[in-house]
Amino acid sequence: MEESKVTPWEVKGDIDYSKLIKEFGLQPMNFNDLPKAFHNEILFRRGIVFAHRSFGSIVSAIENKKPFVMMTGCMPTGKFHIGHMLVAKQIIFYQSLGAKVYICVADIEAYNARGQSLEESRRIAIEEYLLNYIALGLKHENCEFYFQSDRSKDGKKADAYYRLQNLVARHVTFNEFKAVYGEITPGKIVSALLQASDMLHPQLPEFEHPLPVVVPVGIDQDPHIRLTRDIIGRINNYNNFNFKELCSTCHTFIPGLNGGKMSSSDATSYVALTDSPEEAAKKVRKYAFSGGRDTIDEHRRHGGNPDIDVSYQWLRIFEENDDLLKKVYDDYKSGSLLSGELKNLLIQKLTIFLTQHQANREKAKKVLEKYINKN
Amino acid sequence: MEESKVTPWEVKGDIDYSKLIKEFGLQPMNFNDLPKAFHNEILFRRGIVFAHRSFGSIVSAIENKKPFVMMTGCMPTGKFHIGHMLVAKQIIFYQSLGAKVYICVADIEAYNARGQSLEESRRIAIEEYLLNYIALGLKHENCEFYFQSDRSKDGKKADAYYRLQNLVARHVTFNEFKAVYGEITPGKIVSALLQASDMLHPQLPEFEHPLPVVVPVGIDQDPHIRLTRDIIGRINNYNNFNFKELCSTCHTFIPGLNGGKMSSSDATSYVALTDSPEEAAKKVRKYAFSGGRDTIDEHRRHGGNPDIDVSYQWLRIFEENDDLLKKVYDDYKSGSLLSGELKNLLIQKLTIFLTQHQANREKAKKVLEKYINKN
């Protein structure tokens, strides 16, 4: 087993999630404690969202029909792919439960950490992220889609958001930044401070007032959550702020086609939501790492390993029917389902999904304006 | 002669201004090249404003009646004293020449570098700075008085100001900050970046569009100017910015009563503009460092030294009449004017000034609202 490493700037090796829960001081997500609505969302039902911090506040808000916020950000670089769907599905799920949704385009971070212009970030954020969110079901009501560089038409809101970034600076040390971000530069410092404001500012009186805010992240991003949670106590003491503790959930990674990390910078590792069904099928056939045996004969006799098979992992996101999914798992494990057949099942699902999704994207283009420049 | 040191965080020793001009790469201010209007302002006439960077652009704007900006900031801590009048007089002078005046209250810097609350900064900025500026002649037309934490009611302006702060971060290194600010912290970094935006943002399209901006500073603050000037070339290249080079002037220090630095943290070093005339007279009699001889007899025989006499240095700010001032200088040097008599001349001037100024402050309180919260 390759030694694993999970930090905000590096994820490698085989990840032992229950070990990470202990290491990071997270709470395991107990599906049975969740309200009934969560039974409809496979990310929760299947344990893909596996841990949390202070999620009880969110559950309680949902049960008591109190306002809460779902906050997330996107780094507008590269293609929007299957891996990004984990967050997208959660955005839309929480919105359906009554959450106000805050979606931040991290264009300042892209400028400072990656040297990407604001114009390019804006283009990618709209074409890749927003269009796909809308096509996946994001509603424009109860949704603030904004850019870090362009927060609000309302000066009070804009001032409050950036003021918070500037005030947070007093309450963090260089060493804390280094622990979370590795090597730091002035650009990374301001991006980190702005990220803290992204997570906290929904609670400002200029926005929603103090209320529960949940940020869904991949486990590698948890240190950012932890740092922002730590800042709350410090900054509340020195100002008239009354921030409630920040809530978060952690989800597992969807593996890339080759079984490693899915990465926008390696087109053979992902299927993008704008790939044609034919292109997607070709990628799955060519690159998807198989848990099958070396020969059909061996496979029939000893069975395959669905737990490491990428097609099976991806089906967990695309096959909503639990019974069917279990049958695939069992059949593959027993050897009655061959690797090529498993790939075909995924390809079928992907074909239906991408065809429908790309039609939805065309419709989404016509309503884009409702989502942007409205804040 | 004590070894001198002039950095933004320390000023000590006897300052050789012509040496500093060379060391810092400044241009000497040639009074004879200035338009006629400058002859009316003693700070220029008497060489108190002694050096500059790119001041030709400002002269040219004035001569051609083109728009230009005078930008300055104040750190809202302690009492507004005689030393602060050098900048105040320049603000009002440039405004009379047609400049649009930007006055920034560095409340974010006070929060991050000195741990002072925004509320306290706001109170001090208004009571100590703004009221005195108005009493000294600041007009509300063509004046933006703003807080770093609260830039504008207009979201486009607020976004643009803070966006610039965030973008600048990419174009500065930690080492550059250390060279200018000494020991750095996250709080100092964001304050320095915001200060750069303070100096540059008047040129943004959301404000005045590119135009000459002059920042009058004490020589100790010149490194900030230099860093911001350096940033312009870098940031223009990466954005649709078109910043013109930043202009600045440098003025000498007015000595504190004891001959050292005038400091808000030492009440025996300054006369505040809210000190009563009696209090001021007492301070001058008790603390003002004298260039006189040890005995009246010696003084009559050998004369005093006006160049190190604090009362004479202060008279250079308060006595507008050049002939009278020259007579004081000559009489003191010849010994016909005694130290006590020189102090009395200053006390007379201070009494008239403070009485009138404090009456003006009462009137200013009634028009405060025209200056604040209007941006």
Side-chain angles (χ1 to χ4, degrees):
Chain A
M1 194 176 187
E2 193 192 348
E3 198 202 357
S4 80
K5 196 165 178 184
V6 177
T7 69
W9 59 96
E10 193 179 12
V11 177
K12 67 169 192 183
D14 294 315
I15 299 163
D16 180 342
Y17 289 107
S18 52
K19 197 176 137 203
L20 284 178
I21 285 180
K22 279 188 200 148
E23 252 177 43
F24 282 48
L26 296 162
Q27 297 299 313
M29 182 68 84
N30 292 320
F31 176 62
N32 294 325
D33 299 346
L34 295 177
K36 223 175 153 189
F38 285 80
H39 292 235
N40 299 325
E41 177 45 61
I42 56 171
L43 297 185
F44 288 92
R45 208 164 69 220
R46 295 182 180 160
I48 294 167
V49 177
F50 71 99
H52 70 89
R53 293 183 184 277
S54 307
F55 195 62
S57 307
I58 299 298
V59 168
S60 162
I62 292 169
E63 283 176 336
N64 298 301
K65 299 196 186 312
K66 299 276 185 200
F68 72 105
V69 161
M70 201 283 335
M71 197 280 141
T72 189
C74 63
M75 169 64 78
T77 52
K79 290 279 180 186
F80 188 98
H81 56 56
I82 301 293
H84 296 118
M85 281 181 61
L86 291 192
V87 167
K89 281 171 75 76
Q90 289 178 78
I91 297 173
I92 292 151
F93 174 63
Y94 285 116
Q95 196 182 38
S96 78
L97 297 182
K100 174 133 186 200
V101 166
Y102 277 62
I103 303 172
C104 160
V105 178
D107 59 350
I108 289 290
E109 187 175 345
Y111 183 84
N112 278 314
R114 306 187 180 214
Q116 179 167 292
S117 74
L118 299 184
E119 293 72 22
E120 179 69 355
S121 286
R122 194 176 182 92
R123 190 188 63 72
I124 294 176
I126 292 173
E127 284 181 20
E128 291 295 327
Y129 285 81
L130 184 55
L131 272 182
N132 285 315
Y133 289 152
I134 301 172
L136 289 167
L138 182 71
K139 303 282 178 273
H140 67 88
E141 302 92 352
N142 248 357
C143 171
E144 288 216 13
F145 181 86
Y146 71 91
F147 298 84
Q148 283 183 327
S149 72
D150 189 10
R151 179 60 191 94
S152 182
K153 286 179 176 169
D154 174 343
K156 279 202 175 179
K157 287 189 171 194
D159 281 336
Y161 169 69
Y162 296 110
R163 180 190 307 133
L164 183 55
Q165 172 194 22
N166 278 295
L167 297 183
V168 165
R170 177 175 160 196
H171 304 289
V172 200
T173 67
F174 277 138
N175 283 338
E176 287 179 309
F177 280 129
K178 280 182 193 158
V180 178
Y181 294 90
E183 272 313 292
I184 52 172
T185 61
K188 283 187 186 173
I189 296 275
V190 302
S191 305
L193 293 168
L194 200 47
Q195 190 180 67
S197 183
D198 288 322
M199 293 194 257
L200 295 178
H201 84 285
Q203 297 197 51
L204 288 173
E206 291 83 358
F207 292 87
E208 317 295 331
H209 294 89
L211 81 177
V213 176
V214 61
V215 186
V217 294
I219 178 82
D220 56 327
Q221 301 303 308
D222 180 68
H224 299 193
I225 302 284
R226 218 177 333 164
L227 181 58
T228 302
R229 284 169 58 97
D230 288 347
I231 289 166
I232 289 176
R234 306 174 196 169
I235 202 166
N236 274 348
N237 279 342
Y238 283 90
N239 293 276
N240 295 326
F241 295 136
N242 192 20
F243 294 122
K244 290 173 186 282
E245 63 182 351
L246 187 67
C247 315
S248 70
T249 63
C250 279
H251 48 262
T252 60
F253 298 108
I254 305 184
L257 281 167
N258 62 3
K261 200 188 174 187
M262 198 181 306
S263 161
S264 300
S265 58
D266 173 10
T268 69
S269 76
Y270 64 77
V271 166
L273 268 65
T274 46
D275 282 348
S276 68
E278 297 72 30
E279 174 71 11
K282 214 164 77 181
K283 281 188 178 180
V284 170
R285 288 210 184 86
K286 192 160 173 190
Y287 301 116
F289 180 81
S290 166
R293 302 283 170 169
D294 288 347
T295 65
I296 292 184
D297 202 43
E298 259 189 274
H299 191 88
R300 291 276 186 221
R301 238 182 309 148
H302 302 293
N305 182 355
D307 295 319
I308 61 165
D309 187 283
V310 168
S311 299
Y312 176 76
Q313 300 304 317
W314 285 30
L315 265 184
R316 288 181 76 211
I317 308 299
F318 287 100
E319 177 53 71
E320 293 272 342
N321 185 312
D322 291 349
D323 294 335
L324 280 181
L325 187 69
K326 185 170 187 314
K327 188 167 156 35
V328 170
Y329 187 89
D330 293 341
D331 287 355
Y332 194 62
K333 201 150 194 176
S334 75
S336 69
L337 187 71
L338 296 177
S339 293
E341 291 167 338
L342 177 53
K343 284 191 174 188
N344 277 335
L345 289 177
L346 174 64
I347 288 167
Q348 268 176 33
K349 280 283 171 190
L350 280 178
T351 301
I352 295 168
F353 168 74
L354 291 173
T355 306
Q356 181 63 54
H357 181 76
Q358 287 161 19
N360 288 346
R361 268 180 62 95
E362 290 311 307
K363 286 183 212 155
K365 285 177 185 170
K366 292 171 195 152
V367 295
L368 258 185
E369 288 305 316
K370 289 186 185 171
Y371 294 77
I372 45 181
N373 302 328
K374 67 166 188 175
N375 301 320
Chain B
M1 193 175 184
E2 192 190 352
E3 198 203 358
S4 78
K5 196 166 179 184
V6 177
T7 68
W9 58 97
E10 191 178 12
V11 178
K12 65 169 193 184
D14 295 314
I15 300 163
D16 180 342
Y17 289 109
S18 53
K19 198 174 138 205
L20 283 178
I21 285 180
K22 278 188 200 145
E23 252 177 43
F24 282 48
L26 296 161
Q27 298 299 314
M29 182 68 84
N30 292 320
F31 176 63
N32 294 327
D33 299 345
L34 296 177
K36 221 174 156 193
F38 285 81
H39 292 233
N40 298 326
E41 176 46 60
I42 55 172
L43 298 185
F44 288 91
R45 207 165 70 220
R46 298 186 179 156
I48 295 167
V49 177
F50 71 99
H52 70 88
R53 294 183 184 275
S54 306
F55 195 62
S57 307
I58 299 298
V59 169
S60 162
I62 292 168
E63 283 176 337
N64 297 300
K65 300 197 187 309
K66 299 276 184 197
F68 71 105
V69 162
M70 200 288 329
M71 197 279 141
T72 188
C74 63
M75 169 64 78
T77 52
K79 291 277 179 189
F80 188 98
H81 56 56
I82 301 292
H84 296 119
M85 280 180 60
L86 290 192
V87 167
K89 280 171 76 75
Q90 290 178 76
I91 296 174
I92 292 151
F93 174 63
Y94 286 116
Q95 196 182 40
S96 78
L97 296 183
K100 174 133 188 199
V101 167
Y102 277 63
I103 303 173
C104 160
V105 177
D107 60 349
I108 289 290
E109 188 175 346
Y111 183 86
N112 279 314
R114 306 185 180 215
Q116 179 168 292
S117 74
L118 299 184
E119 293 73 21
E120 179 69 355
S121 287
R122 193 176 183 92
R123 189 188 65 72
I124 295 176
I126 291 173
E127 285 180 20
E128 291 294 328
Y129 285 81
L130 183 54
L131 271 182
N132 285 315
Y133 290 151
I134 300 172
L136 289 167
L138 181 70
K139 303 280 179 275
H140 68 86
E141 302 92 354
N142 248 356
C143 171
E144 290 217 13
F145 181 86
Y146 71 91
F147 298 84
Q148 283 182 327
S149 72
D150 189 10
R151 179 58 191 97
S152 181
K153 286 178 175 169
D154 174 341
K156 279 201 176 178
K157 288 188 169 192
D159 281 336
Y161 169 68
Y162 296 109
R163 181 190 306 132
L164 184 54
Q165 172 194 22
N166 279 294
L167 297 183
V168 166
R170 177 174 160 196
H171 304 289
V172 200
T173 67
F174 278 137
N175 283 338
E176 287 178 309
F177 280 128
K178 281 181 193 158
V180 178
Y181 294 88
E183 272 313 292
I184 52 172
T185 60
K188 283 187 186 172
I189 296 274
V190 303
S191 306
L193 293 168
L194 200 48
Q195 190 180 68
S197 183
D198 287 322
M199 292 193 257
L200 295 177
H201 84 285
Q203 298 197 50
L204 289 173
E206 291 82 358
F207 293 86
E208 317 294 333
H209 293 89
L211 82 177
V213 177
V214 62
V215 186
V217 295
I219 178 84
D220 56 327
Q221 301 303 308
D222 180 68
H224 299 193
I225 303 283
R226 216 176 336 163
L227 181 57
T228 302
R229 283 169 58 96
D230 288 347
I231 289 167
I232 290 176
R234 306 175 197 170
I235 202 166
N236 273 348
N237 279 342
Y238 283 91
N239 294 276
N240 295 326
F241 295 135
N242 192 19
F243 294 120
K244 290 173 186 283
E245 63 182 351
L246 188 67
C247 315
S248 70
T249 63
C250 279
H251 48 262
T252 60
F253 298 107
I254 304 184
L257 282 167
N258 62 5
K261 200 186 173 187
M262 198 181 307
S263 161
S264 300
S265 56
D266 173 10
T268 69
S269 76
Y270 64 78
V271 167
L273 268 66
T274 48
D275 282 347
S276 67
E278 297 73 29
E279 173 73 12
K282 214 164 77 181
K283 281 188 178 179
V284 170
R285 289 211 182 86
K286 191 160 173 189
Y287 302 116
F289 181 81
S290 165
R293 301 282 171 171
D294 288 345
T295 65
I296 291 184
D297 201 44
E298 260 188 87
H299 190 88
R300 291 277 187 223
R301 235 179 313 147
H302 303 292
N305 182 356
D307 294 318
I308 62 166
D309 187 282
V310 169
S311 299
Y312 176 76
Q313 299 305 317
W314 285 29
L315 266 184
R316 289 182 75 211
I317 308 300
F318 288 100
E319 178 52 73
E320 293 273 343
N321 185 313
D322 291 349
D323 295 335
L324 281 181
L325 187 70
K326 186 170 185 314
K327 187 166 158 35
V328 170
Y329 187 91
D330 293 341
D331 288 354
Y332 195 62
K333 204 153 191 175
S334 74
S336 67
L337 187 70
L338 297 177
S339 293
E341 292 167 336
L342 177 52
K343 283 191 178 190
N344 278 335
L345 288 177
L346 174 63
I347 288 167
Q348 269 176 30
K349 279 283 171 191
L350 280 178
T351 301
I352 296 168
F353 169 74
L354 290 173
T355 306
Q356 181 63 54
H357 181 75
Q358 287 162 19
N360 288 346
R361 269 179 61 95
E362 291 311 308
K363 286 183 212 150
K365 285 175 186 171
K366 293 172 194 149
V367 296
L368 260 185
E369 289 305 316
K370 289 186 185 168
Y371 294 76
I372 43 181
N373 302 325
K374 68 166 189 175
N375 301 320

